[in-house]
Amino acid sequence: MSIYLHDIPLPQAQSRFQQALAEADLWRLLGVGTIPLDENALGRVTAEPIWAKVSSPHYHASAMDGFAVRAEETSEAQPSSPIQLSVNSEQSPTQAQYVDTGDPMPGWANAVIPIENTEALGETGRITPAVRGPSSIRIRASVAPWSHVRPLGEDIVATQLVLPAGHVLRPVDLGAIAAAGHHQINVARKPKVAIIPTGTELVPIGSQLEAGDILEYNSLVLAAQIKDMGGEATRYPIVKDDFDLICGQVLEAAQTHDLVLLNAGSSAGAEDFSARVVEKLGILLVHGVAVRPGHPVILGLVHRKSNEESASSLPLVAPRNDTIPIIGVPGYPVSAVLTVDIFVEPIIAKWLGRRQKELPIETATFTRKLVSPAGDDDFVRVVVGKVGGKLLAAPLSRGAGVITSLVQADGLALVPSGAQGIEAGEPIQVRLYRSKSEIEQTIFCIGSHDLTLDLLAQFLSEHDRRLVSANVGSQGGLVALRRGEAHLAGSHLLDPQSGEYNISSIRRYMPGIPVKVVALVGREQGLIVKKGNPKGIIDLRSLTNSQVRFANRQRGAGTRVLLDYHLNSMTIPPESIVGYQQEEYTHLAVAASVASDRADCGLGIAAAAQALDLDFIPLFQERYDLVIPKQFADDDLLSPLFGLVADSPFREAVSRLTGYDVSAMGAIILEDE
Amino acid sequence: MSIYLHDIPLPQAQSRFQQALAEADLWRLLGVGTIPLDENALGRVTAEPIWAKVSSPHYHASAMDGFAVRAEETSEAQPSSPIQLSVNSEQSPTQAQYVDTGDPMPGWANAVIPIENTEALGETGRITPAVRGPSSIRIRASVAPWSHVRPLGEDIVATQLVLPAGHVLRPVDLGAIAAAGHHQINVARKPKVAIIPTGTELVPIGSQLEAGDILEYNSLVLAAQIKDMGGEATRYPIVKDDFDLICGQVLEAAQTHDLVLLNAGSSAGAEDFSARVVEKLGILLVHGVAVRPGHPVILGLVHRKSNEESASSLPLVAPRNDTIPIIGVPGYPVSAVLTVDIFVEPIIAKWLGRRQKELPIETATFTRKLVSPAGDDDFVRVVVGKVGGKLLAAPLSRGAGVITSLVQADGLALVPSGAQGIEAGEPIQVRLYRSKSEIEQTIFCIGSHDLTLDLLAQFLSEHDRRLVSANVGSQGGLVALRRGEAHLAGSHLLDPQSGEYNISSIRRYMPGIPVKVVALVGREQGLIVKKGNPKGIIDLRSLTNSQVRFANRQRGAGTRVLLDYHLNSMTIPPESIVGYQQEEYTHLAVAASVASDRADCGLGIAAAAQALDLDFIPLFQERYDLVIPKQFADDDLLSPLFGLVADSPFREAVSRLTGYDVSAMGAIILEDE
């Protein structure tokens, strides 16, 4: 803990790093290689401008199958008074000569008459079926000079610029380069990036896991990012948290690579060696950047020869690149990915000589208030959807350990340093990972989560729809619909008075908004308990046992309403339940609480118990509905959804899940005018 | 010529093909393969939904380096009244235990206090520098339960859906799949596509060219397109135009591929065998589609066994895929590329189970009137730029042989069948090849073309600007500026009265529009003649020799104005010049005319003569200026341009070209208020 990190602003970190690279003569094209012009050239970057060696076509070429003629000899031809031109005749000059598309024009000809505009005549002057053998042709229209001729250089003129340097090669580019007479090209050398995972707690992917083991998959993600950027990655084996071992591995990797990514140990903990390794092997430029997630970033340079060796009697003429950059990448996967995007992409782009990749930016309305540290550039993963013509961005989990938040993200919203956060309803700039058309095919679902929504998403994807669901509980979903923030909400809110589901809540939380309510599933709610039910839990009465720790759902969740309804009718006071205050936001989180012994039981659905191999005590049957404002119910966007709930393949797939009753699926519970 | 093609509408062709594929059970996921989860999985498509095998984290993990505690024991801590917690003490219960980030939480703990919020105390109760050895810690704030803890399943809960089927894998997806406990994945098998180039006139790329030789580069472009789509291409050697040879090659390729692309011979000429080959080996479904460029498309199926073999005594139990699709791809490169985009991408997408790739669509204003065959879907390559806030689309060459039109294209505009074309100023939908930000960094230059503009484009690309230039002659450029269709125009219009360049024309064609005019280069105009000047041409008087054929420039071109000015002052009547009516649109086209013996000479610049290895007789010096409306002159977009013309590296690069004088470069000729 002797090293403390000092976060510096992102632009300052970037410019300090870039300047150091420039001083080490590393802020330039890395190198040039000549490769054959084949499909593997795709995606490579031109290292220099490509000039045409030859013209294309390199001669005047017929553009049609037909007869080459002198245009001036056709000027009299009319539909009613055709003229006749002799073909390949011995008598000089010949008037017409058959040419295939691409054939060189005879020197005397300056136009082509397409074959379909000619009548072939035999020796007798009669029409003949022979194709290439007519003695003459008859035409009924004149042609302008150079009609149906591709003049020399129509496509490319020798010496012209075909492509500039720094161009990322696409399929058509390869054709143009070939047409210009090249069969190989000079491209930027691929940067070689070493990725060194460090950490005693790390185990390779696919390992059997013990508590404390952490799957090492960052090197995989980082290698894929490097590949995506046009570099070549080497993944080194996991190195234990040992200063000397790490130094050795970095030095070895530095000999054969252009950049080293050291992951992780970039923070300031007892076993965070990265900063000290960089200090020992080179220059520590930056330790800590005011960016979230990802602030414990290390930027530095390492010498290819260790300090000892440099000081030895070796000749002082060092190789040109005796120094290479090193980046200490934070360990949390989201931090790691963003660090590589922010700090590595500009270097790779510079080394390849190409433009930096840029995501398209759109302005969206932020759906929730979000607090952000004022000094940091805060990158927030968001899902994006278009609801009622308005582009909405809803924040995903902010945990730097939650890689699924990057998988689900449709974009990154930046809350810039200086801002203390953002209010619900404020506009925000979002860098989009997805195309506009994908976002326009997105159905935004909010409210209570149910496992069948995952299945529905899978079925909808076959109908070119993307279902994005945010879990805010049933009540939260209805409120979001009122605010116009989603296309539909999943809801299972019991009305304690009527015993009916959802309708009274819809009227309360969405007054005056016409809706369509469609039943999705009936499902069992019950107590999720440990395997073998060691505490002998029977029903809600068991919760009053002080030895039984309960995991509750958040206020507004349908399951919470259900619990409170039954506690009330059984006159069980909530205070008598240990853990009543401990709120979880999903069925699966409740099950996870039980699985990990944070609690002994919780109320939830059977599927959640099954997911974590827990036991389940069924108690109630409830209905889970989809609530859809009328303005979206007739929208083309949602029509595949209505198709699916009326369709047997989806129904059958749901019925295969434990604890679901599909008999009501698709029933219209309510439809306002 | 026995086969005639009948163009059918595009949607009809597509649905006929798709239906035939469905009937042959080929309109589905092609196959599934298991691959290791490494960076080579990037871009592959999930063949089935991926469900989590394990949770992540799979235990409650500390999210920080710090001390695990019971939250309830910290509730009294305040800045002014700290509390002390014993560490790793023998006495039971322990109150605090050191944990690194990622360590499992002790069973008794439910929160972590980050190390920076603790004071380490030695045995005596004094503050100690020891890191892991304190006897107790002092804290000055309480922590909430589960603070700085990553609960089991925070990222992924076992059994949850990680990714749907049909998902194209990105770097972060690989991490999520690994985190969910997988080390291999089932992906869609890559479709194998055979590409067979046919044509006696074809020669491999890099060949020395004779007249009539055509470089075979379509197979390269097609293979790269297939690779881009996620398929695997095999490029076969060139096959001569011989029915039996082609049949043999198709049959051989069909044995080991999922799709055959036969290029070309897809039309109805004497040597167009493709349709007959398909008829012989299988079923000809479509011959001719009403789409431009590209209408002579063939869609069909071929049997893997030849008809003879099928009819033989072989067992009738055919392999499941005894039939595969074949596409006769037209020979012109632009037609070939569009045919593959239109007909192959949907099949590859279906076979891989992914969404079809879609280009973003924007509405732009079309700059020119364009006539289009009413029955065809007409795909027009356009350059796109934003001028004065308006997105403009200017059509590029429509020749199907001009592959550079695809290289230069920023997008494809569709003039749908039914429309007879489009008027200048009409809105049109453009599928964009480039990002919005690239288009916003585009400088639209119109007018007279000069070779230095290519060089300027190269220099501007280093300043994140793209220079797109359309060649419409000097006068055309000024008219376009008046209509707000470009940011600047290149112009070299001599005023016959004053002998000055450009100013009087600017006032005539752009009345009332304030401009800035900057000198770019002085350049020599002269007569481009054949090597060795066989006709003994001396000056403009030589043009009146009836043996001398002249290639002229179009009306409105600065070079044409220059010619007419000097002819007038030398009292040479235009009628006395053979070829005065033959108009070319660029200096290089004039040079090409001379090089190919269409003409003996033409007026143009030295660089054009040099490009085609011709001789040059210098006659006049003229000035070539950039004309910039004031509204763009101060725009940030153009500032790098002004920087370059004031800068020596660009000046030096231009001075190395033949026939240029850079002494006036950057001089402000005129600047309106």
PDB file of all heavy atoms in Angstrom, chain B residues 173 253 348 388 391 465 489 621:
ATOM      1  N   ASP B 173     -19.114 -10.145 -25.597  1.00  0.00           N
ATOM      2  CA  ASP B 173     -19.927 -11.364 -25.539  1.00  0.00           C
ATOM      3  C   ASP B 173     -19.076 -12.560 -25.132  1.00  0.00           C
ATOM      4  O   ASP B 173     -19.537 -13.435 -24.381  1.00  0.00           O
ATOM      5  CB  ASP B 173     -20.560 -11.652 -26.907  1.00  0.00           C
ATOM      6  CG  ASP B 173     -21.482 -10.532 -27.362  1.00  0.00           C
ATOM      7  OD1 ASP B 173     -22.138  -9.937 -26.500  1.00  0.00           O
ATOM      8  OD2 ASP B 173     -21.525 -10.250 -28.572  1.00  0.00           O
ATOM      9  N   ALA B 253     -17.236 -28.140 -58.093  1.00  0.00           N
ATOM     10  CA  ALA B 253     -17.372 -27.186 -56.992  1.00  0.00           C
ATOM     11  C   ALA B 253     -18.600 -27.514 -56.136  1.00  0.00           C
ATOM     12  O   ALA B 253     -18.586 -27.375 -54.912  1.00  0.00           O
ATOM     13  CB  ALA B 253     -17.462 -25.765 -57.537  1.00  0.00           C
ATOM     14  N   ILE B 348     -26.850 -15.983 -47.012  1.00  0.00           N
ATOM     15  CA  ILE B 348     -25.800 -16.186 -46.000  1.00  0.00           C
ATOM     16  C   ILE B 348     -26.376 -15.860 -44.611  1.00  0.00           C
ATOM     17  O   ILE B 348     -26.139 -16.583 -43.637  1.00  0.00           O
ATOM     18  CB  ILE B 348     -24.574 -15.291 -46.303  1.00  0.00           C
ATOM     19  CG1 ILE B 348     -23.976 -15.640 -47.668  1.00  0.00           C
ATOM     20  CG2 ILE B 348     -23.536 -15.396 -45.185  1.00  0.00           C
ATOM     21  CD1 ILE B 348     -23.065 -16.822 -47.721  1.00  0.00           C
ATOM     22  N   GLY B 388     -24.041  23.480 -45.909  1.00  0.00           N
ATOM     23  CA  GLY B 388     -24.975  24.436 -45.328  1.00  0.00           C
ATOM     24  C   GLY B 388     -26.120  23.750 -44.610  1.00  0.00           C
ATOM     25  O   GLY B 388     -27.270  24.182 -44.711  1.00  0.00           O
ATOM     26  N   LEU B 391     -28.133  17.737 -46.434  1.00  0.00           N
ATOM     27  CA  LEU B 391     -27.453  16.539 -46.907  1.00  0.00           C
ATOM     28  C   LEU B 391     -27.680  16.429 -48.416  1.00  0.00           C
ATOM     29  O   LEU B 391     -28.819  16.381 -48.872  1.00  0.00           O
ATOM     30  CB  LEU B 391     -28.027  15.314 -46.189  1.00  0.00           C
ATOM     31  CG  LEU B 391     -27.124  14.098 -46.074  1.00  0.00           C
ATOM     32  CD1 LEU B 391     -25.881  14.420 -45.254  1.00  0.00           C
ATOM     33  CD2 LEU B 391     -27.874  12.946 -45.434  1.00  0.00           C
ATOM     34  N   ARG B 465     -10.213  15.292 -42.642  1.00  0.00           N
ATOM     35  CA  ARG B 465     -11.171  15.821 -43.594  1.00  0.00           C
ATOM     36  C   ARG B 465     -11.130  14.944 -44.838  1.00  0.00           C
ATOM     37  O   ARG B 465     -10.095  14.402 -45.193  1.00  0.00           O
ATOM     38  CB  ARG B 465     -10.815  17.262 -44.005  1.00  0.00           C
ATOM     39  CG  ARG B 465     -10.900  18.288 -42.904  1.00  0.00           C
ATOM     40  CD  ARG B 465     -12.333  18.477 -42.423  1.00  0.00           C
ATOM     41  NE  ARG B 465     -12.404  19.516 -41.421  1.00  0.00           N
ATOM     42  CZ  ARG B 465     -12.109  19.341 -40.128  1.00  0.00           C
ATOM     43  NH1 ARG B 465     -11.712  18.165 -39.688  1.00  0.00           N
ATOM     44  NH2 ARG B 465     -12.216  20.353 -39.278  1.00  0.00           N
ATOM     45  N   ALA B 489     -15.320  25.526 -55.211  1.00  0.00           N
ATOM     46  CA  ALA B 489     -15.199  25.117 -56.598  1.00  0.00           C
ATOM     47  C   ALA B 489     -13.807  25.459 -57.090  1.00  0.00           C
ATOM     48  O   ALA B 489     -13.235  26.478 -56.706  1.00  0.00           O
ATOM     49  CB  ALA B 489     -16.257  25.819 -57.454  1.00  0.00           C
ATOM     50  N   GLN B 621       0.235  29.951 -69.739  1.00  0.00           N
ATOM     51  CA  GLN B 621       0.238  29.760 -68.290  1.00  0.00           C
ATOM     52  C   GLN B 621      -1.100  30.289 -67.788  1.00  0.00           C
ATOM     53  O   GLN B 621      -1.543  31.364 -68.193  1.00  0.00           O
ATOM     54  CB  GLN B 621       1.396  30.564 -67.684  1.00  0.00           C
ATOM     55  CG  GLN B 621       1.428  30.651 -66.182  1.00  0.00           C
ATOM     56  CD  GLN B 621       2.311  29.579 -65.550  1.00  0.00           C
ATOM     57  OE1 GLN B 621       3.234  29.086 -66.158  1.00  0.00           O
ATOM     58  NE2 GLN B 621       2.015  29.218 -64.323  1.00  0.00           N
TER      59      GLN B 621
END
